[in-house]
Amino acid sequence: MGIHIPYLTSKTSQSNVGDAVGNADSVEFNSEHDSPSKRGKITLESHEIQRAPASDDEDRIQIKPVNDEDDTSVMITFNQSLSPFIITLTFVASISGFMFGYDTGYISSALISIGTDLDHKVLTYGEKEIVTAATSLGALITSIFAGTAADIFGRKRCLMGSNLMFVIGAILQVSAHTFWQMAVGRLIMGFGVGIGSLIAPLFISEIAPKMIRGRLTVINSLWLTGGQLVAYGCGAGLNYVNNGWRILVGLSLIPTAVQFTCLCFLPDTPRYYVMKGDLARATEVLKRSYTDTSEEIIERKVEELVTLNQSIPGKNVPEKVWNTIKELHTVPSNLRALIIGCGLQAIQQFTGWNSLMYFSGTIFETVGFKNSSAVSIIVSGTNFIFTLVAFFSIDKIGRRTILLIGLPGMTMALVVCSIAFHFLGIKFDGAVAVVVSSGFSSWGIVIIVFIIVFAAFYALGIGTVPWQQSELFPQNVRGIGTSYATATNWAGSLVIASTFLTMLQNITPAGTFAFFAGLSCLSTIFCYFCYPELSGLELEEVQTILKDGFNIKASKALAKKRKQQVARVHELKYEPTQEIIEDI
Ligand SMILES: O[C@H]1[C@H](O)[C@@H](O)[C@H](O)[C@@H](O)[C@H]1O
């Protein structure tokens, strides 16, 4: 069985159709010196990455996609433009990213404008931390179970459940006159954020064509940082409005209502329907997603999903979950994936970015800025813009490279902030920060400028790359693996939210920023030794790379090779046509 595309010839036409579900397509490229017509081949063979046994051509490598849904996806995406249906599903799922951003973002301004509206007194630093951290705690709790819940109840129902929690949480906050009602409202809202932060990228990755899966995941991050930016913008606008923070919270109901309404009319993912044994629904969703694809290919895609579903051992759900957990920890490549996934999420949080996200209003006020929310907009705007830069560079420049540019940049910016805070001389009188050289000073400007520089380096690398976590894990452990990594993210966020202001008080702002600088420096070392270059690699290649070590050198060489091969395909001016499947 073979696939034929212009300039690419079929190699293993003797393989039978049944093999195709389990077997993988492989793209084989010959030496650069070959003529275009001889340069590329697509074959269907085994699942391993191999050098072709071509002694005459050392440069031949076979790309063998995973024993995964990608087998058929390769055929589909060669022959399929992005359908409006997939765009709609991605758009609707990404609203969760927006909610994540908005709900974690508005608290910075709200903490300033709440004033004495709760219990008729100003919130202490400890109370500010509890109100902020409640959302992270809620998100941590639900992110642990969301992966399993999504398999039992469906991705769509989980997202709708998160909408319900957003509504209850928002109503409790809007009507709060006591600190505790506000904190409980934030906690319930956090339940929704935790579910959304895990399910939205999962939903997108399950409906996205393989070739653009990475980028579609970054779209969720763009919505997220966009949500934070909007929250800061609205916060600045409502700063001087009486009870403005209540409006700020109330506004979060709009995107929730939009997502809930849209989900009522949209289906779940094909993978979920296959898990439930509803193959007819799975086929229907695939047909709507891949409008240019033949029925035969769609059928094979469904068969493939059925095979994958059966590959998780166990008679019932608890047994399957237990076996998956076992596999995640005992298979060396899975364990390394887990170390990288959780490691990157922990680094994202423990290098301190969210202390700015949650408390930048408080920090800038301390430094002497009157409209601190407006300054916060510049910081979150920088975060958004550099997430956009990451969107364009994550595949081209590579994940490892942008991480290794971002982390040292962050370290440098944090060191400068620490020095500036030292000279600014902030003292604490009880829970109130007092700037020694009172008023606006040049050290204040240095702090603002380098916090912006920090934001840029953060968003370029560690702010974005950890959310690519699903590519680290093979299909059978992906749900639980990403659940662990997401929970690590929220645990880190919880620690930062609940300790940052206390740290400022106890070890001074200079000490706090120096501490984050130290962690950033250690994180650079971790990434240098443990994070392989994964851009352009097939999912199975990721597993092979992680099999007996972190194999940084090999990963870099392979990623480079893949890029050259993609460039060659472009050189061939390959036009997708129906011919692709003519030999099947
Ligand atoms: O990737 C996101 C993004 O960087 C946000 O700005 C941050 O607040 C989140 O914690 C993080 O997960």
Side-chain angles (χ1 to χ4, degrees):
M1 159 157 178
I3 291 176
H4 179 83
I5 60 178
Y7 297 119
L8 308 182
T9 52
S10 164
K11 186 184 173 195
T12 55
S13 41
Q14 69 273 25
S15 309
N16 65 42
V17 175
D19 283 342
V21 174
N23 288 353
D25 307 339
S26 71
V27 184
E28 182 181 294
F29 295 87
N30 292 348
S31 153
E32 279 152 49
H33 314 295
D34 283 353
S35 67
S37 58
K38 279 164 64 193
R39 245 191 256 157
K41 285 182 180 179
I42 283 196
T43 64
L44 288 164
E45 283 186 318
S46 74
H47 299 227
E48 279 168 286
I49 315 160
Q50 294 170 353
R51 279 196 168 268
S55 51
D56 57 319
D57 186 357
E58 259 303 289
D59 205 23
R60 265 169 34 156
I61 274 193
Q62 297 181 339
I63 306 172
K64 295 182 179 297
V66 216
N67 179 13
D68 197 337
E69 64 196 278
D70 298 313
D71 295 359
T72 312
S73 300
V74 168
M75 290 175 247
I76 289 175
T77 42
F78 267 133
N79 209 25
Q80 170 70 49
S81 53
L82 197 58
S83 69
F85 184 62
I86 291 180
I87 295 173
T88 309
L89 286 175
T90 306
F91 175 85
V92 173
S94 305
I95 295 178
S96 293
F98 183 86
M99 299 298 301
F100 173 175
Y102 188 86
D103 292 341
T104 54
Y106 75 69
I107 194 64
S108 175
S109 331
L111 286 181
I112 304 291
S113 67
I114 278 175
T116 56
D117 291 348
L118 300 177
D119 298 321
H120 307 293
K121 67 176 187 64
V122 176
L123 293 177
T124 64
Y125 268 16
E127 286 169 337
K128 281 185 177 185
E129 282 173 347
I130 292 175
V131 165
T132 308
T135 299
S136 305
L137 176 65
L140 168 61
I141 294 168
T142 48
S143 64
I144 297 170
F145 306 108
T148 312
D151 288 348
I152 298 171
F153 304 111
R155 287 86 174 109
K156 176 179 140 168
R157 281 205 207 110
C158 282
L159 285 180
M160 292 173 98
S162 79
N163 292 140
L164 226 66
M165 289 170 198
F166 285 132
V167 172
I168 298 170
I171 290 174
L172 277 172
Q173 289 172 68
V174 169
S175 59
H177 290 281
T178 64
F179 159 73
W180 282 111
Q181 182 173 336
M182 181 75 187
V184 171
R186 291 274 303 164
L187 178 79
I188 294 175
M189 185 173 255
F191 291 157
V193 172
I195 296 171
S197 68
L198 182 83
I199 306 290
L202 183 79
F203 193 101
I204 294 171
S205 73
E206 286 188 352
I207 50 139
K210 168 191 180 280
M211 306 298 197
I212 48 165
R213 191 180 291 159
R215 281 207 169 175
L216 288 189
T217 310
V218 183
I219 285 182
N220 192 56
S221 294
L222 273 171
W223 275 81
L224 197 174
T225 51
Q228 287 175 328
L229 182 58
V230 170
Y232 277 88
C234 295
L238 293 166
N239 223 357
Y240 300 107
V241 176
N242 198 19
N243 280 311
W245 64 273
R246 293 185 200 275
I247 302 174
L248 195 57
V249 181
L251 285 176
S252 72
L253 290 168
I254 300 173
T256 305
V258 172
Q259 191 183 45
F260 188 88
T261 313
C262 292
L263 283 173
C264 289
F265 301 100
L266 290 170
D268 213 307
T269 68
R271 175 176 303 279
Y272 172 68
Y273 289 128
V274 167
M275 285 170 94
K276 292 278 112 184
D278 190 348
L279 303 193
R281 283 286 271 162
T283 308
E284 190 193 313
V285 177
L286 283 169
K287 273 187 189 161
R288 285 174 75 188
S289 303
Y290 302 112
T291 43
D292 299 341
T293 306
S294 74
E295 296 227 345
E296 190 197 347
I297 296 261
I298 297 282
E299 260 171 44
R300 285 179 46 190
K301 174 83 183 170
V302 174
E303 273 178 50
E304 198 177 87
L305 290 177
V306 172
T307 311
L308 281 167
N309 190 41
Q310 285 158 355
S311 75
I312 304 160
K315 285 184 226 89
N316 45 39
V317 173
E319 219 175 273
K320 281 190 179 203
V321 170
W322 175 243
N323 285 335
T324 312
I325 293 175
K326 250 180 23 196
E327 263 201 34
L328 183 61
H329 292 88
T330 51
V331 175
S333 57
N334 290 348
L335 191 61
R336 282 191 196 95
L338 195 63
I339 292 170
I340 296 172
C342 294
L344 288 193
Q345 290 287 14
I347 291 171
Q348 186 192 75
Q349 295 303 316
F350 285 109
T351 43
W353 164 253
N354 274 328
S355 59
L356 299 180
M357 219 56 230
Y358 302 151
F359 301 112
S360 59
T362 308
I363 296 172
F364 294 138
E365 217 183 32
T366 308
V367 170
F369 277 88
K370 276 255 155 54
N371 193 348
S372 54
S373 293
V375 187
S376 303
I377 291 180
I378 300 175
V379 176
S380 59
T382 310
N383 186 26
F384 176 72
I385 289 167
F386 278 82
T387 305
L388 203 62
V389 176
F391 174 79
F392 289 112
S393 44
I394 199 155
D395 292 324
K396 273 198 180 150
I397 301 179
R399 292 119 168 90
R400 179 178 158 86
T401 311
I402 57 175
L403 270 182
L404 291 178
I405 292 172
L407 283 166
M410 285 162 64
T411 311
M412 176 274 298
L414 287 165
V415 168
V416 176
C417 285
S418 169
I419 295 170
F421 268 117
H422 174 75
F423 286 109
L424 192 67
I426 293 174
K427 292 239 151 48
F428 281 88
D429 179 11
V432 182
V434 183
V435 181
V436 177
S437 57
S438 77
F440 187 68
S441 74
S442 47
W443 284 118
I445 295 179
V446 172
I447 289 171
I448 307 280
V449 169
F450 277 85
I451 280 181
I452 291 168
V453 171
F454 171 70
F457 280 116
Y458 165 85
L460 176 69
I462 199 70
T464 312
V465 177
W467 292 114
Q468 300 286 322
Q469 57 196 12
S470 59
E471 71 189 6
L472 291 166
F473 301 97
Q475 183 53 45
N476 57 345
V477 295
R478 192 173 293 156
I480 300 242
T482 51
S483 225
Y484 272 39
T486 309
T488 308
N489 177 289
W490 287 111
S493 162
L494 175 65
V495 172
I496 290 298
S498 54
T499 57
F500 178 68
L501 294 180
T502 312
M503 270 170 80
L504 286 185
Q505 258 175 292
N506 291 333
I507 63 167
T508 74
T512 307
F513 278 76
F515 177 68
F516 287 143
L519 289 180
S520 267
C521 187
L522 289 177
S523 305
T524 311
I525 298 170
F526 172 85
C527 290
Y528 184 82
F529 287 109
C530 300
Y531 188 72
E533 183 53 83
L534 304 178
S535 51
L537 265 60
E538 295 293 342
L539 294 184
E540 187 181 72
E541 291 174 332
V542 174
Q543 302 313 304
T544 312
I545 287 288
L546 294 176
K547 217 177 202 163
D548 56 358
F550 291 103
N551 285 319
I552 309 292
K553 242 183 166 176
S555 74
K556 278 164 61 181
L558 196 55
K560 196 170 160 201
K561 196 118 240 168
R562 293 291 171 263
K563 265 181 216 153
Q564 287 168 352
Q565 288 165 341
V566 170
R568 277 185 229 160
V569 171
H570 287 312
E571 242 174 63
L572 295 174
K573 301 223 175 352
Y574 157 66
E575 301 258 334
T577 70
Q578 272 304 120
E579 282 176 72
I580 292 167
I581 51 166
E582 73 182 10
D583 288 350
I584 294 171

